[in-house]
Amino acid sequence: MTPRNNAATPQTGRARCRRRTRHASGIAGIIQRAPIASLRSPTAPPETPDLPDLPDPLAALRFPVQYIEVTESLVRSRHGRVAEVRQRCGLPPEGDSEPVSWIDGHQLLASVAMAVEHCLPDEPPSLQILRHFPLTAHGTLGVFAITSGTVAEALDAALQYHALVMPLFDMRRQPDNADGVHVRVVPTVDVGAHNALMAELVIGVLRNVAPYTTLSAPVLHAEFAHASAWPAQAYADFFGAPPRFEAPWHGFTVPRALLDAPLITGNRATRASLEAQLQREAPGSAQAKPLTQRVRQLVLTGLRKGVLPGGEDLAHTLAMSARTLSRRLQDEGQSLSTIVEQVRIERAEQLLRDGDLSVQAIAQQAGFADASSFGRAFKRATGQTPAEQRNRLKLGGGRR
């Protein structure tokens, strides 16, 4: 099916969707755009032309139209008006002669707002939505994941290609340890009142791989940076173990013992075909960053071995020149220095959280020359000294 260009959506529908998105219940303030008047100098002459509107990050992002079907499923279960979902999002009716394959961020959040409106008041909205959110709602990526041979392969698929379908978050794999695979989930766009809800949806949907395994143990342990107003038992029933709230960051851990567990839907030939399709889609998507993810993993691997790889080393491993590596990272909106700095700080944060090493030892394992340069870089990135963050983590019960 050929994706329909969202630019071809009738302008009246798109405008209607955005107006409704901005005024829908619970969604006000999603994108705080400064008024034009506040951007002008108070002494500017009247004839000064208006400055251009600020960039709209949500309009530039794309998501599978299958996410609309998640809301439709929930609305249908509540005996609501299913056709209104697409109307509110400025989409043509289902069965239209020109089907839409992708939606933008405003359409996604309009759909989420309508789903929340149909949630019952006695349970977290995220859990109610997740019951209507199969992995196949991620389109090609979802089917690719469930045709993986093991849980580890499915996780690798999610980490490598998630930006194709959910660019509101960046998934960053941390150095593995005895507990298993740790992944930090970092918001890339502020969606205001729905920040907490979207974090719970993005992490919670990964739990939905469980029906495709024979596991009885929880497939992941979730943690969220926000507080929860809902009883912990509701989340424990869904995840199989209570998530941790008010954590230092959003993320999850897949226990090491489960990584080799097989998926009952695994199929090598089907998976290879679907991966070829994803690889064709990735270069054409500005939100996909496969090289960034690969470089991050190589830097992490080097730090675990006690060696911080340089640009020439990384380029050699990736079979390209250093200049090509730099250019291709720029195409993904990244730079090698930024990636290395992020990985080193995240490595340090994990060591502060999970161990009792001295600051000097952590600086060395994170690839810094000494404790002084480490402290300056850490304060610049986090707003705290290493000692301050370690104390905060201990007060908050840092280690799981």
Side-chain angles (χ1 to χ4, degrees):
M1 182 179 296
T2 302
R4 180 180 178 183
N5 188 338
N6 279 335
T9 303
Q11 292 302 310
T12 55
R14 174 63 59 83
R16 181 170 61 252
C17 172
R18 291 181 180 172
R19 286 197 299 271
R20 287 176 174 169
T21 300
R22 291 173 182 144
H23 294 83
S25 174
I27 206 165
I30 285 174
I31 293 294
Q32 298 296 329
R33 305 175 78 182
I36 293 299
S38 70
L39 299 175
R40 301 188 188 123
S41 167
T43 59
E47 64 273 13
T48 299
D50 286 348
L51 293 176
D53 211 359
L54 294 176
D56 183 351
L58 287 175
L61 301 179
R62 71 173 194 172
F63 305 84
V65 74
Q66 287 93 329
Y67 291 168
I68 297 293
E69 296 179 26
V70 173
T71 295
E72 289 176 329
S73 175
L74 187 148
V75 171
R76 186 178 295 110
S77 73
R78 303 287 189 259
H79 307 289
R81 296 178 57 192
V82 177
E84 188 178 336
V85 178
R86 290 174 179 264
Q87 292 172 4
R88 181 177 294 192
C89 294
L91 293 170
E94 188 175 8
D96 186 80
S97 58
E98 294 185 47
V100 175
S101 295
W102 300 94
I103 57 174
D104 68 16
H106 291 290
Q107 292 168 312
L108 172 73
L109 292 179
S111 173
V112 169
M114 190 167 181
V116 172
E117 291 170 12
H118 286 79
C119 287
L120 301 177
D122 57 351
E123 187 182 22
S126 62
L127 303 187
Q128 298 182 55
I129 296 172
L130 284 166
R131 292 196 181 92
H132 298 267
F133 205 141
L135 286 181
T136 51
H138 288 306
T140 304
L141 175 55
V143 182
F144 174 61
I146 63 176
T147 57
S148 300
T150 64
V151 169
E153 285 186 2
L155 176 61
D156 288 342
L159 296 181
Q160 185 172 0
Y161 294 108
H162 78 277
L164 284 173
V165 297
M166 183 43 67
L168 290 179
F169 293 86
D170 187 16
M171 289 193 179
R172 301 177 184 175
R173 182 168 181 163
Q174 306 300 294
D176 297 352
N177 60 24
D179 293 339
V181 175
H182 297 267
V183 177
R184 188 180 300 188
V185 179
V186 183
T188 60
V189 178
D190 183 0
V191 293
H194 285 320
N195 279 332
L197 173 66
M198 293 306 300
E200 292 180 17
L201 290 177
V202 167
I203 294 175
V205 76
L206 297 172
R207 168 266 178 203
N208 287 345
V209 75
Y212 303 99
T213 73
T214 58
L215 297 171
S216 56
V219 294
L220 60 82
H221 296 278
E223 54 186 14
F224 301 103
H226 56 267
S228 174
W230 300 93
Q233 190 59 47
Y235 290 98
D237 291 343
F238 178 82
F239 284 99
R244 179 185 171 204
F245 287 95
E246 297 185 90
W249 45 72
H250 302 308
F252 61 90
T253 300
V254 179
R256 180 168 297 282
L258 305 184
L259 292 173
D260 293 331
L263 270 62
I264 59 178
T265 47
N267 186 285
R268 289 192 300 273
T270 302
R271 190 175 192 272
S273 176
L274 292 169
E275 184 165 26
Q277 182 175 339
L278 287 169
Q279 289 175 345
R280 288 194 298 270
E281 292 178 6
S285 171
Q287 64 198 33
K289 300 178 180 180
L291 182 60
T292 297
Q293 294 295 330
R294 179 68 176 134
V295 170
R296 283 183 54 84
Q297 194 58 47
L298 290 172
V299 175
L300 273 175
T301 300
L303 287 177
R304 291 186 65 195
K305 295 178 179 179
V307 179
L308 179 64
E312 292 287 349
D313 298 323
L314 291 167
H316 178 74
T317 302
L318 295 166
M320 62 182 72
S321 68
R323 184 172 183 177
T324 299
L325 173 61
S326 176
R327 176 178 54 78
R328 288 185 56 186
L329 286 173
Q330 288 178 0
D331 290 342
E332 295 184 359
Q334 297 289 327
S335 70
L336 181 57
S337 60
T338 299
I339 295 172
V340 170
E341 185 82 352
Q342 286 177 346
V343 172
R344 292 200 295 177
I345 295 299
E346 289 169 10
R347 170 69 167 156
E349 286 180 318
Q350 184 179 32
L351 292 171
L352 286 167
R353 174 183 176 180
D354 293 343
D356 298 314
L357 294 174
S358 67
V359 171
Q360 176 64 45
I362 291 175
Q364 184 177 5
Q365 291 199 26
F368 290 91
D370 51 53
S372 178
S373 60
F374 166 53
R376 290 194 299 271
F378 195 89
K379 181 73 177 287
R380 184 171 60 248
T382 68
Q384 297 178 310
T385 67
E388 288 170 344
Q389 180 158 128
R390 171 171 272 168
N391 290 336
R392 183 171 71 88
L393 291 173
K394 286 182 177 179
L395 289 173
R399 194 183 307 183
R400 177 176 289 280

